Amino acid sequence: MTDVAQFHNLAHIFISFIGAILLLAIYSNIRKRFRQILEEDESQKRVDSGLLYLSLAMFVWVGSGIWAYVAKHFNFSDEISYQIGVNLLSIVNNLFLLMALFYFYYAPKFIYNNIKNVKIIIGIIIAVATTTLLMAAVFGEDNVRFGIKWNAVPDLILSGFLCFLLLISFYKTFLHRGLKLVAMISVVIMVLIFVSQLPEVFLEMNNTFPTLLIKIIAKTSLISLFLVLATSWVIQLANTPRPNEMRIKFLDWSLIQLSIPSKNINNAEVDFRSKTTQYKNLLKFAIRRANGSGDLQSILVSSGGEIKNQTYLTRIIENINEILQLANEEQLERRDLFTFLGEGKYRLRMIPENITIDEGLLHEFVQSAENSDYSSICN
């Protein structure tokens, strides 16, 4: 083993280990400080574990670094047993990254909080890993042709797909949290992460100084990105209103009274005026949250749901911000008022006791509602 390769492996191990411990410590602290917000949806029994899975992915990097160091030290890095170990560690790493994406609010919609699609992708990961292992076992050393390790190609394609998903998720997350420079840097980092995996397929690039340098820079930068993500999550949680502090009163058609003290909104009257669609949608959420139980507290927001598009939720928030003329740091976000329960379902975050609806208004709405569920909910 060359000194450069030895330095790379040891640096990889200790940097990944320190990063994993730091991220795990931050996650543990967040769980203690923001337990009420993280566990507010008791019916789903779901806790945001994105940072936990990212830290576990880094622990897998520690394992892969140790495995590579041992293989080089005992001279079996060219044997099939080493390649099987690499593939197994890659499977576990991809699974942890995928499970982390499940909790990313700005991840592609087919992954975020969608357990059905996540299970499908996990199945694909296992299938690709099995194919890779079979190719390595069947072809052995014959799988290398023209300087390309063909049994590693499926795993590279899968890793490229996950890098693409992470790139989109990181970019959107940091962009929406006001960190535009970090969002652009995250794109560069994810490209480097993918490039750093090319030597596993194109063997002529393996163990050269530039390749090892790119690998250590990419991994270190990605760990730093994880830590910035954790910090921005703390800031977001600190600015998220508690469900029990928010109050809403429906006074008349198009008129509500809203109180969110942490956003400096105290008994503010919001008149939607001609924006009746947004008002009715908000009223629907309030009726379900205040009077419904179980699944009846939520509304399906999709092309086949009661509300056809998520844009309608965003417009409710935009209208409130515009009418109240809130400062940038005090403006409401969609997730301040609505909780995403998964599978396209959303629910108002306020506790039922803090929702008041004028009886005449409620009776009039129920009588004219197209959905008969509201009659049974209010009875």
Side-chain angles (χ1 to χ4, degrees):
M1 185 190 309
T2 65
D3 290 340
V4 173
Q6 185 176 11
F7 169 79
H8 169 265
N9 285 331
L10 291 174
H12 170 87
I13 292 169
F14 288 104
I15 291 173
S16 299
F17 180 75
I18 293 172
I21 292 296
L22 289 175
L23 203 59
L24 199 59
I26 293 173
Y27 172 76
S28 177
N29 189 265
I30 289 174
R31 289 278 289 109
K32 291 178 182 178
R33 291 178 177 271
F34 301 101
R35 192 180 190 90
Q36 181 185 4
I37 293 177
L38 294 174
E39 299 181 357
E40 67 181 47
D41 185 21
E42 297 178 356
S43 63
Q44 297 292 311
K45 296 182 179 180
R46 173 185 178 275
V47 177
D48 193 323
S49 303
L51 288 185
L52 175 62
Y53 284 113
L54 290 179
S55 66
L56 292 175
M58 283 191 281
F59 277 119
V60 175
W61 290 343
V62 175
S64 65
I66 294 173
W67 181 244
Y69 183 83
V70 171
K72 291 289 184 182
H73 184 76
F74 292 100
N75 299 317
F76 66 89
S77 58
D78 294 328
E79 297 181 9
I80 190 65
S81 58
Y82 170 72
Q83 187 60 48
I84 291 175
V86 170
N87 289 333
L88 290 176
L89 289 167
S90 178
I91 297 168
V92 177
N93 179 258
N94 287 337
L95 287 175
F96 282 143
L97 291 176
L98 177 64
M99 292 309 300
L101 282 172
F102 176 79
Y103 295 96
F104 274 48
Y105 187 76
Y106 295 106
K109 294 302 180 184
F110 68 90
I111 286 184
Y112 173 63
N113 214 340
N114 192 324
I115 190 65
K116 180 181 178 181
N117 287 343
V118 168
K119 287 180 178 179
I120 292 174
I121 297 177
I122 288 176
I124 294 173
I125 291 175
I126 295 174
V128 170
T130 303
T131 302
T132 302
L133 293 174
L134 289 175
M135 290 176 65
V138 172
F139 296 105
E141 296 181 358
D142 291 336
N143 61 33
V144 179
R145 300 283 179 85
F146 309 108
I148 299 175
K149 186 184 292 185
W150 292 100
N151 71 300
V153 172
D155 187 58
L156 178 66
I157 295 173
L158 181 60
S159 297
F161 175 64
L162 286 175
C163 284
F164 176 70
L165 296 179
L166 284 167
L167 184 152
I168 294 175
S169 303
F170 280 130
Y171 181 78
K172 288 185 176 180
T173 298
F174 290 121
L175 193 65
H176 281 85
R177 292 180 182 176
L179 300 170
K180 295 182 180 179
L181 180 60
V182 178
M184 291 185 287
I185 292 175
S186 68
V187 174
V188 177
I189 291 173
M190 293 315 304
V191 172
L192 286 177
I193 288 292
F194 178 71
V195 171
S196 70
Q197 298 178 64
L198 294 178
E200 301 298 327
V201 175
F202 303 98
L203 299 183
E204 292 182 358
M205 301 171 59
N206 206 3
N207 287 330
T208 63
F209 179 78
T211 299
L212 296 176
L213 181 62
I214 290 174
K215 283 185 176 181
I216 200 68
I217 290 175
K219 286 286 176 67
T220 305
S221 300
L222 186 58
I223 291 170
S224 301
L225 200 65
F226 289 164
L227 294 174
V228 174
L229 177 69
T231 303
S232 66
W233 191 33
V234 172
I235 296 173
Q236 180 200 352
L237 289 173
N239 291 327
T240 300
R242 270 56 174 177
N244 58 1
E245 75 167 289
M246 298 187 289
R247 297 179 181 275
I248 188 170
K249 294 181 179 180
F250 289 80
L251 306 175
D252 200 350
W253 280 109
S254 80
L255 185 63
I256 67 170
Q257 186 182 80
L258 185 65
S259 292
I260 307 178
S262 61
K263 294 287 186 176
N264 201 27
I265 302 174
N266 297 293
N267 296 323
E269 290 193 356
V270 180
D271 191 347
F272 285 84
R273 297 183 183 275
S274 60
K275 302 178 178 66
T276 55
T277 300
Q278 282 71 47
Y279 175 81
K280 286 182 178 179
N281 287 337
L282 183 58
L283 180 57
K284 290 176 183 178
F285 278 106
I287 293 173
R288 287 179 175 272
R289 180 59 168 153
N291 302 287
S293 60
D295 289 340
L296 290 177
Q297 287 195 337
S298 63
I299 294 179
L300 179 62
V301 181
S302 68
S303 58
E306 186 174 353
I307 296 178
K308 302 303 181 184
N309 197 299
Q310 294 183 27
T311 304
Y312 289 108
L313 302 187
T314 303
R315 287 175 181 171
I316 293 173
I317 305 301
E318 290 176 347
N319 288 332
I320 293 175
N321 288 332
E322 181 182 352
I323 293 169
L324 296 180
Q325 297 182 345
L326 299 174
N328 289 335
E329 63 275 7
E330 295 175 347
Q331 286 195 352
L332 296 175
E333 297 182 7
R334 191 170 72 182
R335 63 189 310 171
D336 290 335
L337 290 185
F338 301 104
T339 295
F340 180 53
L341 303 179
E343 309 301 329
K345 295 180 180 179
Y346 287 82
R347 191 203 66 197
L348 202 63
R349 287 187 65 234
M350 299 174 186
I351 62 176
E353 293 79 3
N354 291 350
I355 300 173
T356 304
I357 304 174
D358 178 80
E359 291 186 7
L361 174 64
L362 179 61
H363 178 74
E364 184 178 349
F365 174 81
V366 170
Q367 292 298 317
S368 61
E370 296 179 1
N371 191 338
S372 59
D373 285 347
Y374 290 99
S375 297
S376 58
I377 289 173
C378 296
N379 289 334

